[in-house]
Amino acid sequence: MKGTKKGFVFAVTVSMALAALAGCANTKQETAQTAAVQKENVTGAVTASSESGGPLHIDVVAKGFQHQFWKAVEQGTKKAAEEFGVEVTFQGPDNESAIAQQVEYLNAAIANQPSAICLAALDTNACLDSIQLAMDAKIPVIGFDSGVPNAPKGAIRANASTDNTAAGQLAAEKLYEMIKDQVTDPQKSVRIGVIAQESNSNSIVSRTRGFVDKMIELVGSDKVSVEGHDSLKNEKAGAKVILDVGIPAEVKDVDAAAVASSILEKSDLIAIYGSNEFAANAIITANEGLEKLGEGKVIAVGFDAGAKQLDAISSGLFAGSVTQDPVQIGYQAVKLAVEAANGKEVSDVDTGALWYNASNMADEAIAPCLYR
């Protein structure tokens, strides 16, 4: 999910009668750079008319353009814009640490009085004043991806997101199948590494904790000691299975690779999990100088997709990963926003998660969700 887009606006006029989208196929429309009023990292503006004769406009405020994941989400918003004949502006900060920059984008969106806003908040507390402004202006807010956890009651009409706890549990279940013999009454201590991008984002925290809690359940709570980062630490003396949680101090590639390297170097490590593309890539980078992963070595599983991770799975370096459906996340968020803007009652949509590996990457249900 790497990269930054600046000042792009796409405009496509489409019929309101386009057929419903199938799967999460990738199509992309490149657009001309326009409008000095648009801020950096803004893409998208699909024009159409609402029932009143004016354009229905949806502002989508993402967490950034740092990863390919957000580009895939953007494609979903474009698909929905085309299908429903609405304007959509997609924007996000330079990276997922730029909280103040995201708040600026959110405030600018509110000032433009859109029909609705879709928001994946980097920090809910930082967005509270802005959310209140949106509520006062009667602008519906739809959460997507990690949404807006702990927002004031009634502030978020609905969420379009993966059930990240369940998705993290799926990763644990798949990994457990591969290491069951080693974690069932082991004669010596064994270690499972867990790498997370950070400990604030609700989506990442949920899939990290979902993995840890499910692994504890599968192995047995009396047999597992959770060590490493304080956010999940639950040490148990004498436990033969160690879940070693590593989270970098800052969301930087070099810091994450250092954390992954420190875990990969431990002699009792049998498996490792990265809870998003950033974390999985950190494991891959760390392994380049260590060569600890692969067949007959440490088993690695990840989350999300992206070119680097897909190559690692194709080559056998990673055993597999869980993917969200990022195109559906974007599509469903805009769909909910359109419905809310039209006064309809809306409810949360689970956009799903899938396990993929080298043997099923080309399957019809999987391939469209493996963004590069």
Side-chain angles (χ1 to χ4, degrees):
M1 297 183 282
K2 294 183 179 179
T4 302
K5 286 193 175 180
K6 297 184 182 289
F8 283 91
V9 178
F10 68 93
V12 179
T13 302
V14 292
S15 167
M16 293 291 288
L18 284 175
L21 298 168
C24 54
N26 260 326
T27 60
K28 187 169 184 177
Q29 295 173 306
E30 293 300 327
T31 62
Q33 184 172 8
T34 68
V37 295
Q38 292 291 341
K39 292 195 171 188
E40 293 181 346
N41 294 344
V42 177
T43 65
V46 179
T47 58
S49 295
S50 67
E51 292 180 359
S52 64
L56 193 66
H57 187 92
I58 311 298
D59 265 302
V60 181
V61 182
K63 290 184 177 181
F65 287 101
Q66 187 180 17
H67 304 303
Q68 293 173 13
F69 176 85
W70 297 113
K71 295 180 181 180
V73 172
E74 181 189 4
Q75 296 310 306
T77 67
K78 290 182 179 182
K79 286 175 177 291
E82 292 174 358
E83 178 171 339
F84 301 115
V86 299
E87 294 180 353
V88 172
T89 300
F90 189 101
Q91 52 194 328
D94 293 335
N95 58 63
E96 294 181 28
S97 296
I99 295 171
Q101 189 182 19
Q102 187 191 49
V103 173
E104 289 179 8
Y105 286 138
L106 179 57
N107 287 336
I110 294 167
N112 288 331
Q113 290 289 302
S115 306
I117 292 173
C118 300
L119 174 63
L122 287 170
D123 186 311
T124 298
N125 287 333
C127 294
L128 287 178
D129 289 344
S130 303
I131 292 169
Q132 187 60 55
L133 286 174
M135 293 178 70
D136 292 343
K138 301 188 184 306
I139 300 171
V141 180
I142 299 297
F144 70 99
D145 185 47
S146 60
V148 192
N150 303 315
K153 185 176 180 180
I156 309 303
R157 300 291 183 88
N159 289 280
S161 62
T162 306
D163 182 336
N164 284 291
T165 298
Q169 291 172 345
L170 175 60
E173 290 166 354
K174 293 297 183 178
L175 179 58
Y176 180 76
E177 292 173 6
M178 293 179 266
I179 61 172
K180 183 176 181 179
D181 291 343
Q182 298 181 73
V183 298
T184 304
D185 299 322
Q187 298 302 307
K188 60 180 181 179
S189 174
V190 295
R191 186 179 304 267
I192 300 167
V194 179
I195 307 296
Q197 174 176 300
E198 34 102 354
S199 58
N200 296 314
S201 167
N202 185 63
S203 60
I204 293 172
V205 170
S206 294
R207 69 181 67 145
T208 304
R209 184 176 292 279
F211 175 90
V212 169
D213 290 348
K214 175 56 73 171
M215 191 61 73
I216 291 172
E217 176 189 327
L218 292 169
V219 175
S221 59
D222 58 329
K223 300 177 182 178
V224 180
S225 178
V226 184
E227 303 177 4
H229 198 269
D230 289 340
S231 63
L232 290 170
K233 186 179 290 186
N234 184 15
E235 296 183 351
K236 291 191 177 181
K240 293 294 187 181
V241 178
I242 299 168
L243 291 179
D244 194 346
V245 180
I247 302 176
E250 294 187 60
V251 185
K252 295 181 178 179
D253 291 341
V254 64
D255 291 353
V259 169
S261 180
S262 69
I263 293 178
L264 283 175
E265 289 175 338
K266 295 178 179 178
S267 60
D268 58 350
L269 186 72
I270 61 169
I272 192 166
Y273 164 66
S275 62
N276 75 335
E277 182 190 0
F278 175 87
N281 285 349
I283 294 169
I284 296 166
T285 299
N287 184 66
E288 289 172 358
L290 299 173
E291 297 185 354
K292 292 293 187 73
L293 306 179
E295 187 175 353
K297 300 179 182 179
V298 173
I299 298 173
V301 299
F303 204 110
D304 289 330
K308 195 170 184 177
Q309 193 172 170
L310 296 179
D311 289 343
I313 292 172
S314 295
S315 68
L317 197 66
F318 265 48
S321 288
V322 172
T323 181
Q324 302 180 84
D325 191 334
V327 178
Q328 276 296 304
I329 289 174
Y331 173 83
Q332 294 292 342
V334 171
K335 181 180 179 182
L336 287 170
V338 170
E339 291 174 347
N342 285 325
K344 295 182 180 179
E345 292 292 327
V346 291
S347 57
D348 292 352
V349 175
D350 179 7
T351 53
L354 300 165
W355 170 260
Y356 70 97
N357 54 29
S359 66
N360 74 352
M361 290 173 69
D363 288 0
E364 184 177 346
I366 302 290
C369 300
L370 304 184
Y371 48 89
R372 285 186 177 271

